[in-house]
Amino acid sequence: MSRRVLVAAVLLAATLLTALSVHALWTPWHGTAQPASDAPQGAATLTGGTAHETVTLTVSTPVTGTTAVDVRLVPRDKAAYALAGGAAPVVTISAVLPTAGHAVPEYTAVRTADDIYHVADLPLMMAGRWQVLVVIDAAGRHSRLGFPLTVPR
C-alpha cells in the first residue's frame, strides 16, 4: 500500500470519527427507558440507580416553565431494604443548567405511594441541557444521582 493511500485512509477515518463525535454531542439525549405506562403524553422518563435501588425519573412536561416530577424507587433487594431502617427514604429533587449558571433549589418530594415520590412544580426557566439531581436519604445512606434532560426551545 502506498504512503498516499495510507494517509488518505487515516484522514477519512479521522473525518468520520469527528463527524460521529459532533453528532453524538449535539443530538439531545432522551433517556434509557421507555415511557412508563402511566406517564403523561410527552413525558421524559429516565432510569438510573444506586447500589440499593433502581431509580426512575419522570418529568411530565420537559419544557420551559414549571413541570411535575416523579421519582420511583425500586429496591434491588427488598428484604435487605426493609431491614435497613424501616423509615421511608427522603427524596429531594433539584436541577442545574450549567451552561447558563442557573440552579433550582432542592424540593423535598412528597411520598404518594410506597415507591413513588412527587414534586408538583419544578421550575425550568429556560431551554438547554439541564441536569436533574435526585438525592435519596435512607437508612443512614446518602445517594445522589444526576439525570440529563434536554429542554427544547
Side-chain angles (χ1 to χ4, degrees), residues 76-109:
R76 294 187 189 276
D77 181 354
K78 290 185 183 194
Y81 203 77
L83 294 173
V90 174
V91 176
T92 57
I93 301 170
S94 63
V96 295
L97 181 60
T99 56
H102 293 305
V104 172
E106 283 189 345
Y107 288 82
T108 301

Side-chain angles (χ1 to χ4, degrees), residues 38 53-60 67-75 81 86-93 107-121 132 134-139 141:
D38 57 346
E53 58 261 323
T54 300
V55 180
T56 302
L57 173 80
T58 301
V59 180
S60 294
T67 185
V69 177
D70 290 306
V71 173
R72 181 173 188 207
L73 304 179
V74 177
Y81 203 77
V90 174
V91 176
T92 57
I93 301 170
Y107 288 82
T108 301
V110 176
R111 187 174 181 203
T112 60
D114 283 343
D115 59 354
I116 306 286
Y117 296 80
H118 180 77
V119 168
D121 296 313
V132 179
V134 176
V135 177
I136 304 163
D137 286 311
R141 292 182 285 104

